[in-house]
Amino acid sequence: AFKYSAIDRLPEPPSIWTTKGTLVHTALESLFCLPGPERTPAAAQACLATAVLELRADPEFALLGLEPDEQDAFVADAQALVARYFELEDPRSVRAIGLELKVQAELGGTLLRGIIDRLDVDDDGEWVVVDYKTGRAPGARFEASKMGGIHAYALLCERMLGRRPARIKLLYLQEPLEISTVPDEQSLRAIERKVGAIWQAVVRACDRDDFRPRPGRLCDFCAFRDRCPAWTAATVPDLVPGSAALAS
C-alpha cells in the first residue's frame, strides 16, 4: 500500500470514513476561527452545515456513491461527532495559537512533515498539541502506539519552532474520550530513532524493489486490494488468502 500510494502515486478513491473525518475537522477549525465567547454548540453545528454544503459541491463527494438516505445518515453521524466534542472541553476557554498548523523538520535522514489540528496555550503559558480523532479509541494494549504520531508532532514543534509542547492529547469524539501524555526527552528521541529506522527500511525496499505485502484486517479497507499480489492469485498463485505464505 505504501508503494502504491507514496511511490507510484496511484489515485485513491475517497472513503466514507476519511471524508467524514475531514468534514468534522473542517467544522472544528471554523469554530476556532470565531471569538471565544461565540464558540457554542449551535455555532459548531452551523460551521458543520457550511462544511456540508461545500462538500456536496465537491465532485469527489459523488464518488462515495451514497444514496439520499445514506447521505442523511452520513451527515447525522458528523453532527453527533461535533456535538460530542463539547463533552470533552469548553472551546470558549481554549486559547488556540495555531489551526491546521504545518510543521516539518529533518529527522532520521529524511524530511518529515505533519499538520497539527490545534496548538494551544494553557493557563501556565505552556504549549499543548491537540489532535482530533473521529474513529474509535484504541484499547489499553494499543494506546501507546496510537500516541506515536502525536509525539512526532511535538518533536516537529521543538525542531521547527524551538519549543517543546508541555502536553499532547488526542480527542476521540466517538466515545468521547481524551488521551493525553507529556512528551519528554526519552519519548521524543525514541520517535526520532523510529523515523530513522523506517526511512532506512524504505530506502532498502526501494533499492531492492522489495515491497512484499503484509495482509491483515486493514486489507478490507484498502483501495489497492485489486492489484495487490496478496489478493491477486493470478499474479502470484502461491500467495492467496489463507495460505502459509500469506500467514507469514
Side-chain angles (χ1 to χ4, degrees):
F2 172 81
K3 178 182 185 297
Y4 293 144
S5 63
I7 297 177
D8 298 340
R9 301 296 178 94
L10 298 179
E12 296 182 63
S15 73
I16 293 175
W17 304 278
T18 57
T19 303
K20 189 184 302 177
T22 300
L23 184 64
V24 172
H25 277 69
T26 300
L28 293 177
E29 180 186 1
S30 298
L31 178 70
F32 277 94
C33 289
L34 299 174
E38 297 180 19
R39 298 172 193 160
T40 62
Q45 294 297 340
C47 290
L48 178 64
T50 299
V52 169
L53 288 176
E54 294 173 353
L55 176 63
R56 291 187 189 277
D58 190 329
E60 287 206 353
F61 182 67
L63 296 179
L64 293 177
L66 299 178
E67 297 295 333
D69 57 334
E70 293 174 323
Q71 292 187 29
D72 291 342
F74 174 87
V75 173
D77 284 347
Q79 291 171 334
L81 290 169
V82 170
R84 291 191 195 111
Y85 159 73
F86 286 85
E87 298 179 38
L88 291 169
E89 62 183 8
D90 183 353
R92 294 173 299 179
S93 61
V94 171
R95 289 186 291 166
I97 59 173
L99 299 172
E100 295 296 310
L101 182 64
K102 296 180 180 179
V103 289
Q104 64 179 41
E106 187 82 21
L107 292 177
T110 187
L111 182 65
L112 188 67
R113 298 186 179 95
I115 301 177
I116 297 173
D117 290 342
R118 213 177 75 211
L119 183 63
D120 297 346
V121 176
D122 65 16
D123 293 338
D124 297 321
E126 300 288 351
W127 285 2
V128 180
V129 172
V130 181
D131 197 49
Y132 307 120
K133 297 294 184 183
T134 53
R136 292 191 176 279
R141 289 175 54 196
F142 304 101
E143 187 174 305
S145 64
K146 292 298 183 181
M147 296 300 292
I150 201 167
H151 268 98
Y153 289 154
L155 182 54
L156 291 176
C157 273
E158 182 179 74
R159 292 293 177 83
M160 181 177 173
L161 305 176
R163 182 174 175 181
R164 180 185 300 171
R167 191 159 54 98
I168 54 181
K169 64 181 183 179
L170 301 176
L171 299 182
Y172 284 89
L173 306 183
Q174 275 202 30
E175 274 68 16
L177 174 70
E178 176 184 323
I179 300 176
S180 62
T181 189
V182 176
D184 56 21
E185 187 69 20
Q186 181 178 0
S187 65
L188 297 192
R189 297 294 81 77
I191 287 294
E192 185 169 14
R193 289 193 298 271
K194 183 176 182 179
V195 169
I198 292 174
W199 177 244
Q200 289 304 313
V202 170
V203 170
R204 287 193 300 271
C206 289
D207 289 343
R208 302 169 183 171
D209 193 24
D210 180 7
F211 291 92
R212 66 192 66 184
R214 297 176 57 188
R217 294 178 62 187
L218 292 180
C219 291
D220 292 340
F221 308 98
C222 182
F224 308 115
R225 181 166 165 168
D226 62 342
R227 67 176 66 228
C228 176
W231 297 95
T232 310
T235 304
V236 185
D238 62 334
L239 195 60
V240 296
S243 71
L246 210 169
S248 64

